[in-house]
Amino acid sequence: MTEWIRIKGARQHNLRNVDVDFPRGAMTSVSGVSGSGKSSLVFDTLYAEGQRCYVESLSTYARQFLARLPKPDVDWIDGISPAIAIEQRNAVTSGRSTVGTVTEINDYLRVLWARVGQVVCPDCEKPVVRKTPESVWRTVRAAHGDGGLVLVCYPLEISGAGSTVGWWEPLLAQGFQRAVLDGATVRLDAPDITDLPSPEPGAVIDVVVDRLKLAAKVRARFIEAVELAFDQSGGLAVVRDKEGTGREEFSSDLRCDGCGRRFPEPTPRLFSFNSPEGACPACKGFGNRLEFDEEKIIPDPSLTIRDGAVKPWSTESFSRDFTGLLRFCARQKIPADKPFHKLTDRQRQLVLEGGDKSYPGIIPFLEKMRREMKKGHHRFFTRRYMGDTLCRACRGSRLRPEALAVRVQGMDLGVIGTMSVEDSLARLEKLRLNKTATAVAGEVRDEVLYRLRFLNRVGLGYLTLDRLTRTLSGGEAQRIHLANALGARLVDTLYVLDEPTCGLHAGDVDRLISTLDDLVAGGNTVVVVEHDLAVLKAAEYFVELGPAAGTGGGEVVYQGPLADLIATGDTLTARHMRGEVPSRTERQRRPKADRLLAVKGARLHNLRELEVKIPLRRFVALTGISGSGKSSLMNGCLYDGLTGRVAGGTGRAFPFTSLHGGQGVGKVVRVDQTPIGKTSRSNPATYLQVLGPIRELFATTKESLARGYAPGRFSFNTAGGRCSNCQGMGYHRVEMQFMADITVPCEDCRGSRFNPSTLEIRYKGLNIAQALDLTVDDALQFFGDVSAVSQKLWLLKKVGLGYLTLGQPAPTLSGGESQRLKVARELAMPSGSHNLYLLDEPTTGLHAEDVRALVKVLHELVDREHSVLVIEHNVDLISEADWVIDLGPGGGRHGGKVVAQGTPEEVARSASSLTGKYLARKLAGRD
């Protein structure tokens, strides 16, 4: 096979008939300004053709869709391997998918627990051991000694019919001669058996299988008798002494000797919360339930009961119930004038759940109100105090009690799920198995450790195994898939990655690079679309596209060894690598703010009673390694706290002690990386509300007026002008067996979304579909004389999105692109003054040159007397901030503290700040 992957004549999207070679068995970085054609080359051409080649090798069922799959616009590609794309898009929405399931670590843990787990009765805390005939022999002989006379029996429950007829006759027919009835041994063939009182229905008698005098020579006979007893009773055997008074039960099943509780056989399915066998019956395996939430019933625990701590009864309508609560507190000696959070656990439980007939408790009261629904408003009243609360039955582990009873060195599987990857790795590394357990589960344990180590290496050691996959950022999801790729141990595979450093602190990039090197060392080819200079410098081969974005790009400005680029290259990226571009703008830092937003006692997730002051009407960067608590502080404390205040804040508990300075904030705007829309019907044109004016332009053309077409005719969301086959979607989704679903263009409209009659209407030579295919840069020229369109499009260009097409479906936008679209919308349609803008890594997908443009936009917001708080890892952006707050020092339980804060220069001088270390290197170019 050739040593190169050769692409000839690639013309996908804005690519200009380019020829590119990628070395096999090496790492290649692809860079260039945003919109220069990197994704078109790597994903839409290279990966798409690799996927086609793979599908071509599958079954006839799969190959029937090949003709409908769009082939990349390229002359030919040679030397391509099976391709795997690892993108920064998290498409998981299921509440059953967790970090443990998506990495397959849970699958191996289930096998490990099933093979070496020890069942411990949760009621008695005693080990539950299955009895075998051999173990019964050893136990009985040790207890009675040689020479002791014992009866081996099996228990038999008398049925209702058997108590009135000859209950002994079936036993005689089976060959049994004796039974123990009411403590006395009786012969079943005795003439006076009919004179004995019949057992009551449901009574249990012991049927004698054999009588033995214990000695070594009767071992085989004893074991045979016990086996027969197990068979007759379904797993129970009874051994009595010769007097018939001493009685011992032995079970061949997993049955507790203390309380008799039975446990199922530990199998891998028992430990799966996605299986009915293992899921908690209360929450169905979700780990939480919609129940009455104590935090909503008692929103302010600092209040006393008399002052209205119990929110539902704090109004005049429930004065009678409130009086009953005060009387109950007096009887139970619960102080009604003491803050609720200072009451004992028992006192709080009595108030919430009741203690006698005269006082039902606030939670049972609400449950009864919701159940009976005597009035229509009761549903809305009770729903106010409900929330997704931790399932009380499984404590959030999602597993049924029988599964949690199985432990490995004292740990149930639920405990492992709540641990971080880092902690579970340390705990399982200390797991010592005996010779037998190693033989049956040693390889399984090694596989678990292997996968945990990879997760830790790619900077995800702070995640817990039970973390929902849908709550992960795009960067976290991508690194999880990268760890899976390493765990799969594939060879001669083409791995295509899209900015794997997204969401990764500069201190973790080195570990990521070593992970990519391991993929290459395993005989694979790695192609990375990246902007991070550290990753670009780690590649052997480099490809840069440009020179500009959109129609100004699509050309290969450099391809070859990286060393040659750094030495003699004259491209934009080469100048940034050599440090020839100024490290930051010449803008002077703003003076210290006189208005502050102060948070005290922040304790959400891993925040440790955090106290922090955030300057208002300034550009503030919130930094720290992944998992240090940045999102918890910004979203869970600041956003929830301020929007709760704006919305009235009634009945809501906040995870902090106090929040001061909110009066200096107008509107709180969270600009995160969530998609601007969930379907392909949403796009930049609809989001920025420029599609309306464009439709009106087409409706005013002569041909459109002659046909009587209204603006609605040019909408793909309504019938009339859209394609009737695909309903304006432009594609059909095809479900594949054992593969991800694929989308194929509609055969009628060929992806244009509109019917032929609509496409006949043209404005300046273009139809509506062609207008939506224009990039923002091209649309600015095309609609330059239409202010309602051009003014908003100019803002998209300002935030570095000039390469996007107007009709690009929202689900195909990256998290960074969605975020910058929201910034552009705020600039286009400002609302109020003194707003607080919360952004989460807006530099995602931006070249270093584009970051400079974004920084200008953020400073423009601050110049309008707004406040900007940005979670960011990009050192270029951090160095431009007025104030930096660095959290850490580590991730997960090692984070949640303020490591350093101040101007970028002050943080750079902090010896304890990892961010400061990299910030100092950046600022050194200016100093």
Side-chain angles (χ1 to χ4, degrees), residues 289-492:
R289 300 180 64 188
L290 184 63
E291 295 179 339
F292 288 102
D293 191 346
E294 179 181 342
E295 291 187 350
K296 294 186 177 182
I297 295 173
I298 314 290
D300 189 355
S302 64
L303 293 178
T304 66
I305 293 176
R306 195 181 303 277
D307 289 339
V310 182
K311 186 69 177 178
W313 288 344
S314 60
T315 62
E316 289 289 335
S317 303
F318 296 96
S319 57
R320 182 177 177 181
D321 302 285
F322 180 66
T323 302
L325 170 60
L326 294 178
R327 290 174 180 170
F328 172 75
C329 290
R331 289 195 304 273
Q332 297 290 333
K333 297 183 179 179
I334 300 174
D337 297 311
K338 191 175 184 179
F340 192 82
H341 67 88
K342 292 186 177 181
L343 300 179
T344 65
D345 292 342
R346 174 62 179 166
Q347 290 171 340
R348 291 198 295 268
Q349 183 181 2
L350 287 173
V351 171
L352 292 171
E353 300 181 5
D356 55 37
K357 294 182 180 180
S358 63
Y359 174 71
I362 177 62
I363 291 180
F365 171 84
L366 292 172
E367 288 175 342
K368 181 180 179 182
M369 178 182 286
R370 184 168 182 82
R371 185 169 57 250
E372 295 180 353
M373 293 290 181
K374 292 181 179 179
K375 297 181 180 179
H377 70 276
H378 284 178
R379 177 185 299 275
F380 302 101
F381 177 79
T382 55
R383 183 64 181 84
R384 190 184 310 168
Y385 302 104
M386 300 181 74
D388 284 331
T389 60
L390 200 68
C391 176
R392 297 189 181 99
C394 65
R395 305 184 304 279
S397 68
R398 301 170 170 237
L399 297 172
R400 65 187 317 115
E402 291 81 2
L404 296 175
V406 183
R407 303 176 188 177
V408 174
Q409 293 190 356
M411 298 181 295
D412 60 56
L413 203 52
V415 171
I416 292 293
T418 58
M419 290 182 179
S420 66
V421 168
E422 183 182 10
D423 291 342
S424 58
L425 176 60
R427 192 73 178 267
L428 291 174
E429 282 179 335
K430 297 177 182 178
L431 182 63
R432 295 293 177 261
L433 303 177
N434 57 34
K435 187 176 181 180
T436 303
T438 301
V440 299
E443 293 183 359
V444 177
R445 181 197 58 181
D446 294 342
E447 186 65 32
V448 172
L449 295 176
Y450 183 78
R451 291 173 181 264
L452 286 173
R453 290 187 184 114
F454 277 126
L455 282 178
N456 200 34
R457 283 185 60 186
V458 296
L460 297 176
Y462 60 92
L463 292 180
T464 59
L465 292 178
D466 63 358
R467 171 83 174 264
L468 290 177
T469 312
R470 66 186 182 191
T471 66
L472 299 175
S473 68
E476 289 171 334
Q478 185 181 30
R479 294 198 295 280
I480 280 180
H481 294 314
L482 179 60
N484 283 347
L486 285 166
R489 301 182 179 93
L490 297 177
V491 296
D492 197 23

Side-chain angles (χ1 to χ4, degrees), residues 634-847:
M634 188 175 81
N635 298 322
C637 294
L638 289 176
Y639 180 77
D640 286 353
L642 289 171
T643 53
R645 174 189 62 79
V646 171
T650 57
R652 186 166 187 178
F654 297 120
F656 50 79
T657 303
S658 63
L659 178 60
H660 299 293
Q663 66 275 9
V665 176
K667 181 181 178 183
V668 183
V669 181
R670 180 165 58 181
V671 186
D672 55 17
Q673 297 192 13
T674 56
I676 60 172
K678 295 182 179 180
T679 70
S680 62
R681 296 187 185 279
S682 177
N683 54 50
T686 59
Y687 188 72
L688 279 183
Q689 299 179 11
V690 298
L691 186 56
I694 292 176
R695 294 204 312 264
E696 291 175 358
L697 289 175
F698 278 89
T700 57
T701 61
K702 291 183 178 179
E703 183 65 23
S704 182
L705 292 173
R707 298 187 184 188
Y709 289 167
R713 176 81 186 192
F714 304 94
S715 170
F716 47 72
N717 291 325
T718 58
R722 69 184 182 186
C723 173
S724 58
N725 186 9
C726 64
Q727 302 298 309
M729 298 294 288
Y731 64 85
H732 295 287
R733 184 176 300 277
V734 179
E735 295 182 0
M736 303 288 287
Q737 294 179 355
F738 308 109
M739 288 182 61
D741 295 345
I742 61 174
T743 57
V744 295
C746 172
E747 56 270 19
D748 286 1
C749 66
R750 298 184 180 181
S752 70
R753 301 180 170 207
F754 297 94
N755 58 34
S757 300
T758 304
L759 295 178
E760 290 174 358
I761 306 300
R762 294 182 176 271
Y763 173 79
K764 291 185 178 180
L766 298 182
N767 59 37
I768 183 66
Q770 292 169 334
L772 291 176
D773 282 338
L774 292 174
T775 64
V776 171
D777 289 335
D778 293 338
L780 274 171
Q781 298 180 6
F782 188 78
F783 296 107
D785 56 342
V786 185
S787 60
V789 176
S790 59
Q791 289 180 0
K792 294 178 180 179
L793 294 182
W794 173 249
L795 295 174
L796 281 180
K797 184 176 178 63
K798 284 182 66 176
V799 296
L801 295 178
Y803 60 91
L804 288 184
T805 60
L806 299 184
Q808 182 166 340
T812 65
L813 298 174
S814 69
E817 289 170 338
S818 297
Q819 198 169 27
R820 294 194 294 280
L821 261 175
K822 296 174 185 178
V823 172
R825 183 173 179 173
E826 282 298 319
L827 291 171
M829 293 169 279
S831 54
S833 59
H834 306 317
N835 295 342
L836 172 61
Y837 292 94
L838 306 176
L839 292 89
D840 187 1
E841 296 189 64
T843 60
T844 301
L846 288 186
H847 188 273

Side-chain angles (χ1 to χ4, degrees), residues 587-658:
R587 173 187 287 270
Q588 295 296 317
R589 303 209 190 278
R590 297 178 179 86
K592 288 189 176 182
D594 53 354
R595 296 176 180 269
L596 301 172
L597 187 62
V599 182
K600 291 186 177 181
R603 51 189 175 271
L604 181 64
H605 299 149
N606 65 330
L607 297 179
R608 303 183 183 182
E609 297 295 328
L610 195 70
E611 294 192 12
V612 62
K613 295 180 179 179
I614 300 166
L616 294 178
R617 302 174 194 176
R618 296 293 183 270
F619 178 15
V620 182
L622 185 58
T623 66
I625 72 169
S626 301
S628 58
K630 305 181 297 296
S631 296
S632 298
L633 175 61
M634 188 175 81
N635 298 322
C637 294
L638 289 176
Y639 180 77
D640 286 353
L642 289 171
T643 53
R645 174 189 62 79
V646 171
T650 57
R652 186 166 187 178
F654 297 120
F656 50 79
T657 303
S658 63

Side-chain angles (χ1 to χ4, degrees), residues 535-601:
V535 177
L536 297 182
K537 292 178 180 179
E540 299 177 33
Y541 201 77
F542 188 81
V543 175
E544 183 172 358
L545 297 177
T551 54
E555 298 179 359
V556 177
V557 296
Y558 177 84
Q559 63 173 317
L562 180 72
D564 294 348
L565 172 75
I566 297 177
T568 60
D570 190 28
T571 69
L572 187 60
T573 304
R575 290 194 291 273
H576 275 278
M577 284 185 173
R578 292 193 295 263
E580 296 173 359
V581 179
S583 59
R584 60 180 298 269
T585 62
E586 297 302 320
R587 173 187 287 270
Q588 295 296 317
R589 303 209 190 278
R590 297 178 179 86
K592 288 189 176 182
D594 53 354
R595 296 176 180 269
L596 301 172
L597 187 62
V599 182
K600 291 186 177 181

